[in-house]
Amino acid sequence: MTQLALVIDLNVCVGCHACVTSCKQWNTSGPAGGLTDFNPYNADPNGTFFNRVQTFEVGTYPNTETVHFPKSCLHCEDPPCVPVCPTGASYKRKEDGIVLVDYDKCIGCKYCSWACPYGVREFDEQRKVMTKCTLCVDRIYDQKLPEKERKPSCVIHCPAGARLFGDVHDPESEVSVAIRERAGYGLMPEHSTKPSNHYLPRRKTRITIHEDDLYREDNPLKIDQAAMGDYPPSDEYAT
Amino acid sequence: MRPAFSVVFLTTLIGAGQGLFIVLFLCELLSQPSSAFLIGGSLIVLVLCGLGLLASFFHLGHPERAWRAASMWRTSWLSREVIALPAFMGAVFLYGVAHWQHLGYTVALGLLGVVTSMTLFICTGMIYAAVKVLKEWAHPLTLVNFVLLGCASGTTLAAAFATFTAPELVPVLAQAALVLTALALSTRSASLLRNARLSPFSTLQSAIGVRHPRIVQKTQGAMGGSYNTHEYFHGKSAAFIKTIVPVFMVLVFFVPLALVLYLPVLAFLLQYAGLLAERWYFFAEAQHPQNLYYQTVS
């Protein structure tokens, strides 16, 4: 069975918010109605977003790392938001595993958002219904779009290529390979929600360079001297 | 969580109504109360539940679609409550009419009312106890407290109402209210103690999946507020939270324990006011794991 999901590489994300703005642009322009903004240019701005990028600092200065952390609905395989919905407005599609809200059935009781540990559902104060990431369901199946554009807006617009999209149940898909080979993980495993979206951890990129690699005789560019001025002088390099 | 006053009123009003109805029925079984007590009592139950129902509509973004909420009773406790509340009100209505018009079958209708009342208690309690991510609520004590607080306030109300319609029942009802209030005091204290000792299930480490002891949030993705900052933070000071607990403990438990034998009407009014604070705190006390993502604005 198909389970569409995002895989977000925290080692690549630069925190530019392009996924946030492109998500807002696509989803506020659709037939389901706008994602409301209140006071966007005044004090106390507020609004509905399906996707937000947060930033965390890990470690103690000077040994710190900045982690940019995009957060949207994780399309859990066992979504706690679905069974609690009294109207059936909140549902998980059998055919592709996307968790959606039927805006025409939602009564706006907010109970689903209480049940979700991730805080990824946002109540739209103008439409008075619960809203959330749809994985751009109105885009990924659109036959009128060129095939390479049939992806969630955030994935297409990420300039760093930090976001992958695909079927996490297909072991050979790009996302499954990324999860398997780059230690992809789900958020808050303690709640047993089995999130479909996965995150790829930050990695240290290190290479080991021995001194004789730099000063070897056949170093074609002979840049060693300039770079390492205090290296003991050697006749070999006097040209 | 930010307490919603619609839900605070809903749960306290119907709780007192459900408790009152159970007492009415037991009085009918065990003694011969005046029909004014039974009919008037049923009317009070209906008024309380009606007001609660009205309050609940203010919680909804689309109250005109509320009828849809009865559809998912197989999985949702909220849906079950939406069915149980009108069922209880219907049973109480029939019970009151049966007494008023001397139609008979009052025991059968009363029993139906008691069963639907208990069902409604279970549904209301489970709405909260079934939210697994809120550790403060996800415990059988939540259910027990809803039942006992409803029965205690309902019995206090029965004693208060009996002073006007069935004075001979006041002493026994007041004593029953005393016992139920004392029981509720013990279970509510138990849940307060339990919740004070809870350690959070989720941490910032599990929230973003980085295993490092020191993680500090720098931004939350928006400079202003969001649904997440409004719905899940009560926004009151620590001093306010510290004050409200003794306030509701005194009003819900100690004042009625002292007063119910002598001034049941005053005891009920103060106990109900206290229950509003108790229910407010019930919501405010719950720490939602999503708050881990909303610690710092920027």
Side-chain angles (χ1 to χ4, degrees):
Chain A
M1 229 168 54
T2 308
Q3 172 65 64
L4 297 180
L6 299 172
V7 170
I8 298 165
D9 193 342
L10 297 182
N11 201 50
V12 175
C13 177
V14 293
C16 71
H17 291 245
C19 55
V20 178
T21 52
S22 63
C23 165
K24 180 100 171 178
Q25 190 277 330
W26 177 264
N27 285 295
T28 205
S29 318
L35 306 190
T36 319
D37 280 323
F38 290 99
N39 292 326
Y41 306 109
N42 286 312
D44 197 20
N46 201 331
T48 311
F49 287 79
F50 292 172
N51 180 28
R52 295 190 187 260
V53 177
Q54 307 186 322
T55 304
F56 296 87
E57 186 179 82
V58 179
T60 312
Y61 181 83
N63 297 317
T64 55
E65 279 200 37
T66 302
V67 177
H68 299 295
F69 182 80
K71 180 165 82 82
S72 57
C73 173
L74 306 171
H75 299 280
C76 299
E77 307 218 19
D78 194 2
C81 52
V82 168
V84 300
C85 175
T87 67
S90 195
Y91 65 106
K92 185 172 176 70
R93 300 204 332 166
K94 281 202 174 63
E95 61 268 35
D96 54 16
I98 301 181
V99 177
L100 288 175
V101 179
D102 184 336
Y103 299 145
D104 293 330
K105 279 189 187 168
C106 178
I107 56 172
C109 70
K110 306 177 184 173
Y111 194 34
C112 56
S113 74
W114 294 6
C116 169
Y118 307 104
V120 291
R121 291 178 160 247
E122 298 196 12
F123 185 74
D124 191 293
E125 283 294 344
Q126 192 173 62
R127 284 186 281 166
K128 298 288 180 192
V129 290
M130 193 56 71
T131 60
K132 63 180 283 302
C133 162
T134 65
L135 276 183
C136 287
V137 69
D138 52 345
R139 169 166 196 148
I140 57 178
Y141 296 111
D142 190 345
Q143 302 290 327
K144 283 179 235 149
L145 289 173
E147 199 168 341
K148 63 172 186 173
E149 286 182 27
R150 289 179 212 157
K151 285 179 177 178
S153 194
C154 57
V155 175
I156 294 170
H157 292 95
C158 176
R163 303 173 77 95
L164 308 174
F165 169 68
D167 176 11
V168 291
H169 281 186
D170 171 6
E172 296 313 314
S173 69
E174 183 190 22
V175 282
S176 293
V177 170
I179 293 167
R180 195 164 61 234
E181 296 185 354
R182 287 145 76 186
Y185 60 88
L187 305 180
M188 291 189 185
E190 62 273 17
H191 292 296
S192 310
T193 54
K194 289 194 259 170
S196 303
N197 282 13
H198 283 68
Y199 288 79
L200 305 180
R202 289 177 67 83
R203 301 179 290 277
K204 291 285 184 197
T205 308
R206 286 198 182 96
I207 52 170
T208 306
I209 300 175
H210 300 289
E211 277 183 358
D212 57 325
D213 290 340
L214 288 172
Y215 292 95
R216 65 189 190 274
E217 278 185 56
D218 57 346
N219 185 334
L221 296 176
K222 301 274 192 265
I223 58 172
D224 309 329
Q225 202 173 12
M228 304 284 280
D230 56 349
Y231 194 76
S234 160
D235 288 340
E236 271 184 74
Y237 296 101
T239 46
Chain B
M1 303 285 292
R2 178 182 295 264
F5 274 99
S6 48
V7 183
V8 169
F9 279 110
L10 166 72
T11 55
T12 50
L13 286 168
I14 65 172
Q18 290 162 255
L20 173 58
F21 185 78
I22 293 172
V23 173
L24 290 181
F25 181 64
L26 288 177
C27 285
E28 184 190 355
L29 284 189
L30 301 175
S31 69
Q32 297 293 321
S34 65
S35 57
F37 178 68
L38 294 176
I39 298 167
S42 301
L43 191 64
I44 293 177
V45 174
L46 285 175
V47 168
L48 290 176
C49 290
L51 287 174
L53 196 59
L54 184 70
S56 74
F57 277 92
F58 286 94
H59 187 67
L60 302 181
H62 282 279
E64 79 282 4
R65 299 177 186 165
W67 59 274
R68 287 186 180 277
S71 61
M72 296 305 279
W73 54 272
R74 286 181 192 82
T75 60
S76 171
W77 284 105
L78 180 52
S79 185
R80 289 166 197 162
E81 187 193 40
V82 166
I83 297 168
L85 178 54
F88 170 62
M89 291 175 73
V92 175
F93 176 75
L94 292 178
Y95 177 81
V97 168
H99 269 291
W100 179 35
Q101 297 290 331
H102 306 289
L103 298 176
Y105 298 106
T106 54
V107 174
L109 290 170
L111 204 59
L112 183 66
V114 170
V115 169
T116 47
S117 169
M118 290 311 295
T119 309
L120 182 53
F121 268 133
I122 292 168
C123 293
T124 311
M126 283 307 290
I127 286 175
Y128 305 97
V131 180
K132 288 192 199 116
V133 302
L134 292 167
K135 268 180 115 179
E136 289 84 351
W137 296 354
H139 192 271
L141 271 176
T142 302
L143 187 53
V144 172
N145 283 329
F146 269 91
V147 175
L148 284 181
L149 287 168
C151 287
S153 60
T155 312
T156 314
L157 176 57
F161 184 56
T163 56
F164 305 108
T165 48
E168 75 282 1
L169 287 175
V170 174
V172 65
L173 288 175
Q175 286 173 51
L178 200 72
V179 172
L180 284 165
T181 303
L183 271 176
L185 170 63
S186 62
T187 58
R188 188 68 179 98
S189 305
S191 76
L192 283 175
L193 286 175
R194 170 184 176 268
N195 291 352
R197 291 162 181 221
L198 280 181
S199 56
F201 205 33
S202 296
T203 59
L204 204 43
Q205 281 73 18
S206 73
I208 67 168
V210 175
R211 290 193 196 89
H212 192 286
R214 189 180 178 278
I215 304 175
V216 180
Q217 185 165 33
K218 291 295 171 183
T219 75
Q220 57 176 234
M223 294 292 284
S226 60
Y227 171 70
N228 308 77
T229 58
H230 285 219
E231 178 75 3
Y232 299 97
F233 295 88
H234 52 71
K236 293 281 189 276
S237 66
F240 182 89
I241 296 296
K242 241 182 178 167
T243 318
I244 197 164
V245 178
V247 166
F248 83 67
M249 288 299 276
V250 167
L251 285 175
V252 176
F253 303 112
F254 299 121
V255 166
L257 284 176
L259 285 184
V260 72
L261 292 176
Y262 315 102
L263 296 165
V265 177
L266 186 63
F268 173 72
L269 292 176
L270 291 173
Q271 187 171 43
Y272 184 75
L275 276 173
L276 293 178
E278 186 273 336
R279 216 45 54 86
W280 188 95
Y281 182 74
F282 172 77
F283 285 96
E285 183 185 36
Q287 298 286 328
H288 201 286
Q290 78 102 41
N291 294 6
L292 291 167
Y293 296 107
Y294 296 90
Q295 297 294 317
T296 314
V297 172
S298 73

